[in-house]
Amino acid sequence: MTRDTVQRELPKASVAESLAVLNDVFIPNVAKGVLIRRPKVVGIAERLGLDRRAVHRLQQLNEKYGSGPLMLQVPGEKTMALVLDPEHANRVLDQSPEPFATAEQAKRSALAHFEPDMALISHGPERDERRRFNEAVLQTECPVHGLGERFVEVVKQEVDELLHDTRQRGDSLDWGTFFETWARVVRRVVLGDTARDDHALTETLGKLRAAGNWGFMHPGRDSLRDALHERLRLYLRRAEPGSLAAEVARVPTNETTQPEQQVTQWLFAFDPAGMATFRTLALLAAHPEHARLAQEEAASLEQQPRPELSYLRACVLESLRLWPTTPMVLRQSTETTLWENGAMPADTSLLILAPYFHRDDRYLASANRFDPDLWLQPEGAVEWPLIPFSGGPGICPGRRLVLLVTSTALARLLAQREFRLDPPTRLLSSKPMPPLLNNYDLKFKLDAY
Ligand code: HEM
């Protein structure tokens, strides 16, 4: 960087433009619920196409101000910037947590309601230890987790029970029914079979997430949080074979690790995986040519104990590209950082809005189409930021486990039944994929093959 870069100032949005970003990007995302979705608001956002509006707003600012990063004018001491350039997005993610900390202020105030010591909102040596622990238990680098065979078995059992129940319900499937099954799978995978019917645990976490949606505006529910952690410690002490709790018992920890708070994140983060699975079912129902390929692959689940299911994984990733469940990836700079266009002060919150990159029809030919091939290339082949699981050293350490569980669930469903959207016009391959797909009102009719 030259002296000139240091002296130049980054472009700054006007007050009116900053308010428009607040209105089109922040308010709708916060209203939908950052930590637990509010289904009614999701429905409204879908009908009004609010997610498209957010992408358009950032595209307009990009056309006007160029690559940025673009400083916003926000009230008070806080500084905030929009990342508008693909290379900048990659840089911010690659250079996390220094000088771009994952522990961004707004994220901290939301997640601290139930997991104040979780890796994502920790920094320095504490973050290093908690990240190490997460990677070790979740086996981040393994395409199929060491307990994969057991997890496949759990998914098969629960999906079979679900399909049995749907026969009593007139061969139809809605979100509520699917989600009950999903929550059982999650509790068994994370905590073990004795947690299968511990709905109270999921409900307690739901209440804390609802408080977290309000960030610093909610006083917090400390006794509920302590009760949740106490219950999780009980499951961790039990360390049931074949669950992540058993892995926790095998991995070294110290007083910094706080395993129960990392486990809280796992339980919470499996929720969006259920949403992605249900949306993938809808995508496949609307795209019969892709459904055929998925069904062929699904058959391999019967022949191998834990197949990799790469096509179904690509379909899930496509659902997450089209409708990312973490649309706002936030970082906070820990020092002054230099850019081609000038310097950014320390303590700036940087927003990478995933849909702005995922749906950029100026650069991506299939921005608004369902195109699983995008994910069938070797990892790292695409430099464009497609970041449903974030990227760089802060990338989701659970992503391969998520893809294992979601692809297995889909394979088991598709191997036994054909899924039709109800009504069939809910999602159409002949039209661009909508800016948001409300998973809460999706319904399917199930046919025998
Ligand atoms: C569809 C499901 C999921 C998606 C889309 C997803 C996405 C993400 C994203 C985008 C981040 C980074 C957030 C940020 O930088 O602010 C993240 C972090 C994380 N995720 Fe996931 N996640 C999912 C499920 C899971 C599951 C099931 C687990 C555990 C079993 C998990 C464990 C974590 C952890 C521990 C972090 C913090 C990593 C760190 O700060 O180093 N995630 N996830």
Side-chain angles (χ1 to χ4, degrees):
M1 279 311 138
T2 61
R3 225 181 133 76
D4 191 36
T5 315
V6 183
Q7 277 160 7
R8 258 193 292 155
E9 282 200 5
L10 287 173
K12 192 191 259 183
S14 67
V15 172
E17 286 164 340
S18 302
L19 283 174
V21 172
L22 183 73
N23 190 49
D24 292 346
V25 180
F26 287 97
I27 292 178
N29 275 302
V30 171
K32 273 188 275 174
V34 176
L35 300 185
I36 189 163
R37 296 288 189 268
R38 301 180 177 104
K40 278 195 187 131
V41 186
V42 173
I44 295 168
E46 183 194 50
R47 278 197 296 285
L48 299 179
L50 296 186
D51 293 67
R52 178 180 297 126
R53 208 187 285 177
V55 172
H56 280 177
R57 175 66 59 195
L58 264 56
Q59 286 182 339
Q60 273 171 12
L61 293 170
N62 179 218
E63 313 266 292
K64 177 167 173 188
Y65 291 102
S67 61
L70 180 64
M71 302 303 293
L72 296 178
Q73 301 204 40
V74 288
E77 301 285 288
K78 202 170 156 55
T79 49
M80 177 130 220
L82 293 178
V83 177
L84 296 173
D85 183 81
E87 275 182 33
H88 292 170
N90 290 335
R91 171 183 167 191
V92 171
L93 295 175
D94 288 344
Q95 296 180 5
S96 298
E98 289 286 358
F100 302 111
T102 59
E104 189 272 341
Q105 196 185 325
K107 216 188 299 181
R108 276 201 316 257
S109 75
L111 290 171
H113 279 272
F114 53 93
E115 45 185 35
D117 296 322
M118 200 269 282
L120 185 60
I121 53 168
S122 312
H123 197 66
E126 291 179 337
R127 173 178 166 77
D128 294 345
E129 163 56 19
R130 293 166 187 161
R131 174 82 199 185
R132 178 203 62 77
F133 171 81
N134 272 287
E135 288 187 2
V137 177
L138 302 173
Q139 301 184 3
T140 301
E141 296 312 320
C142 301
V144 179
H145 194 279
L147 292 173
E149 217 168 302
R150 170 68 194 153
F151 296 158
V152 166
E153 215 30 63
V154 167
V155 174
K156 279 181 173 176
Q157 286 168 8
E158 295 296 339
V159 167
D160 288 358
E161 193 171 316
L162 171 72
L163 288 177
H164 178 77
D165 288 352
T166 55
R167 283 186 202 114
Q168 335 279 300
R169 294 168 190 249
D171 284 318
S172 71
L173 178 64
D174 60 15
W175 168 258
T177 314
F178 172 79
F179 189 70
E180 273 177 37
T181 294
W182 188 257
R184 280 198 283 268
V185 168
V186 172
R187 289 190 295 263
R188 288 180 71 185
V189 164
V190 177
L191 303 172
D193 290 354
T194 54
R196 180 183 187 265
D197 296 313
D198 194 347
H199 306 282
L201 179 90
T202 308
E203 271 169 32
T204 303
L205 181 54
K207 285 180 189 156
L208 289 162
R209 289 166 65 192
N213 268 351
W214 294 97
F216 67 87
M217 288 189 288
H218 194 289
R221 306 184 69 169
D222 293 354
S223 51
L224 203 60
R225 180 181 76 191
D226 294 346
L228 173 77
H229 291 161
E230 190 44 48
R231 186 139 192 85
L232 290 176
R233 278 193 289 271
L234 188 85
Y235 282 115
L236 292 183
R237 279 198 296 275
R238 216 175 266 162
E240 266 184 67
S243 71
L244 291 178
E247 283 299 291
V248 170
R250 274 183 356 102
V251 167
T253 53
N254 58 35
E255 65 285 359
T256 305
T257 321
Q258 306 284 343
E260 68 280 5
Q261 299 204 31
Q262 318 310 317
V263 174
T264 305
Q265 169 72 14
W266 306 343
L267 288 170
F268 145 59
F270 255 120
D271 239 43
M275 291 160 68
T277 306
F278 214 52
R279 287 174 173 147
T280 308
L281 261 188
L283 281 166
L284 290 170
H287 295 82
E289 70 286 11
H290 294 292
R292 264 191 300 281
L293 294 173
Q295 278 151 7
E296 275 166 35
E297 190 177 68
S300 67
L301 192 61
E302 309 312 311
Q303 290 132 28
Q304 298 163 37
R306 42 171 218 181
E308 204 170 314
L309 301 173
S310 36
Y311 192 73
L312 279 164
R313 286 180 181 224
C315 293
V316 175
L317 284 162
E318 250 318 69
S319 143
L320 285 167
R321 177 183 70 83
L322 291 164
W323 304 298
T325 50
T326 311
M328 295 201 293
V329 179
L330 290 159
R331 294 288 182 265
Q332 188 164 325
S333 59
T334 56
E335 59 188 49
T336 303
T337 52
L338 304 181
W339 308 78
E340 308 89 270
N341 302 320
M344 180 188 290
D347 275 337
T348 299
S349 286
L350 294 101
L351 169 66
I352 306 176
L353 186 73
Y356 164 74
F357 292 106
H358 291 189
R359 294 291 196 110
D360 195 337
D361 48 7
R362 301 169 303 175
Y363 298 98
L364 283 179
S366 50
N368 298 312
R369 281 194 290 114
F370 174 52
D371 184 9
D373 285 347
L374 271 179
W375 299 96
L376 291 169
Q377 301 163 45
E379 212 169 315
V382 184
E383 289 195 357
W384 191 262
L386 298 180
I387 47 166
F389 287 110
S390 175
I395 195 168
C396 175
R399 67 194 183 283
R400 292 201 170 93
L401 177 61
V402 167
L403 293 174
L404 168 73
V405 175
T406 53
S407 61
T408 305
L410 286 163
R412 192 65 174 183
L413 289 165
L414 295 169
Q416 299 180 67
R417 312 283 271 166
E418 191 154 25
F419 287 75
R420 275 183 296 119
L421 276 161
D422 178 21
T425 49
R426 182 71 178 80
L427 191 69
L428 292 169
S429 62
S430 54
K431 294 195 174 162
M433 290 299 100
L436 178 63
L437 184 67
N438 178 8
N439 53 293
Y440 299 104
D441 73 351
L442 283 179
K443 278 202 197 93
F444 298 92
K445 283 274 170 212
L446 278 60
D447 297 321
Y449 283 117

